[in-house]
Amino acid sequence: MKETMALAKANAKKFLRNYGIQKPGRVDVVALANLESIYVQKGKPGEALGRICYSGGEGVITISGDVSLESQKRFIIAHELGHYCNEFSGRELFYICHSEYLYNPFMKNIHEHEANEFATELLMPEEWFITLVKKKPLSKKLLDEITGCFGVGLSAIAMRYAEFGDYPAGFIFVTDGKVRWCKFNPSFPFGYVPIGTKVSNFSYAFEFFEGKEIPDEPENILADAWFLNDRNYKKDFFIKELVIPMPNYQSAMVMVWS
Ligand SMILES: [Zn+2]
């Protein structure tokens, strides 16, 4: 799997290089799709988040009518371009991509993983990302800066930061009070939260799902909030936590670091 992921990343780098995109910033994914004779259209509400259909030298990417956030649209277009660049072999290509295929590091489907890897590299090339976050403390301000620079949403940033960030950190994505996925930098002391775990009342995420006000600055919390099942669990160990509400998805992104 590692090899095919490296190939997906290399495909994204090549795609940017082919179009002479060298300056860090917001990549115009619609223009890139158009240059490949792939047109982007809005679909109906209730449809899968993204679809790509390519045949006879041209294609269409359809974004669900439910998608309103620009950052999410950009990620979906980049993901569909990933299917095209990773897998098109001269014949037809057709993919229907549901919300659980995007971002989720635990998903089993390799082609969806590769499309996400391509999208992440296309929107936030590794070198540009590392330069932007270097020696900057992890904070809401930094996340806003990354969003402003690359036009990506929190989930995509979380994936990338867990891979290349300067600080030992982790990200836990919680929907309706339960852990949906998580990703941790290898240097973070903990790395395991069972999927489906209910949010503990040691975490500020608990307050968020209770509809209460939560701090918008990091707070010190006990590691018990998330890592009771981790093999490195330690009693009375404090970590920093910042809960970022994502009300459009009935979710919150929980950022933890030591
Ligand atoms: Zn897909």
Side-chain angles (χ1 to χ4, degrees), residues 104-119:
N104 184 352
F106 294 100
M107 183 202 15
K108 301 267 189 299
N109 186 316
I110 182 77
H111 292 314
E112 297 301 339
H113 261 305
E114 288 164 0
N116 286 336
E117 183 73 10
F118 178 96

Side-chain angles (χ1 to χ4, degrees), residues 62-84:
T62 308
I63 311 280
S64 161
D66 295 323
V67 177
S68 55
L69 292 176
E70 192 55 31
S71 57
Q72 196 183 12
K73 274 184 208 166
R74 288 169 51 72
F75 193 88
I76 296 167
I77 296 166
H79 173 101
E80 301 306 336
L81 282 174
H83 284 305
Y84 167 73

Side-chain angles (χ1 to χ4, degrees), residues 39-221:
Y39 302 94
V40 178
Q41 65 178 18
K42 187 174 177 177
K44 296 186 187 112
E47 289 180 339
L49 283 190
R51 270 183 291 159
I52 181 165
C53 179
Y54 189 94
S55 129
E58 56 183 18
V60 178
I61 290 172
T62 308
I63 311 280
S64 161
D66 295 323
V67 177
S68 55
L69 292 176
E70 192 55 31
S71 57
Q72 196 183 12
K73 274 184 208 166
R74 288 169 51 72
F75 193 88
I76 296 167
I77 296 166
H79 173 101
E80 301 306 336
L81 282 174
H83 284 305
Y84 167 73
C85 289
N86 294 339
E87 292 156 59
F88 184 62
S89 58
R91 302 179 77 178
E92 291 180 340
L93 181 87
F94 185 61
Y95 269 90
I96 298 179
C97 307
H98 298 281
S99 59
E100 63 269 28
Y101 300 168
L102 285 103
Y103 312 115
N104 184 352
F106 294 100
M107 183 202 15
K108 301 267 189 299
N109 186 316
I110 182 77
H111 292 314
E112 297 301 339
H113 261 305
E114 288 164 0
N116 286 336
E117 183 73 10
F118 178 96
T120 310
E121 182 65 25
L122 189 76
L123 297 170
M124 285 178 284
E126 185 180 334
E127 293 82 9
W128 301 359
F129 185 85
I130 291 171
T131 307
L132 183 72
V133 302
K134 209 171 186 176
K135 296 197 175 123
K136 289 182 187 155
L138 194 50
S139 64
K140 178 78 174 52
K141 188 169 160 253
L142 178 61
L143 297 179
D144 289 343
E145 194 181 337
I146 300 169
T147 299
C149 182
F150 299 123
V152 291
L154 257 182
S155 300
I157 295 173
M159 295 286 181
R160 190 109 283 207
Y161 198 94
E163 203 175 358
F164 295 117
D166 237 13
Y167 285 77
F171 296 83
I172 305 162
F173 186 71
V174 187
T175 302
D176 295 328
K178 285 184 185 167
V179 173
R180 204 166 129 207
W181 59 258
C182 50
K183 188 157 178 174
F184 300 96
N185 188 294
S187 56
F188 185 66
F190 308 107
Y192 176 65
V193 181
I195 302 308
T197 301
K198 273 193 183 168
V199 169
S200 146
N201 58 4
F202 285 119
S203 164
Y204 281 95
F206 185 87
E207 318 272 308
F208 168 69
F209 286 104
E210 291 276 298
K212 294 181 185 156
E213 287 265 313
I214 53 165
D216 55 6
E217 292 295 324
E219 296 284 339
N220 287 317
I221 61 158

Side-chain angles (χ1 to χ4, degrees), residues 241-256:
E241 180 194 66
L242 178 64
V243 178
I244 304 166
M246 298 172 79
N248 286 337
Y249 306 100
Q250 294 84 47
S251 301
M253 181 67 76
V254 181
M255 195 158 78
V256 285

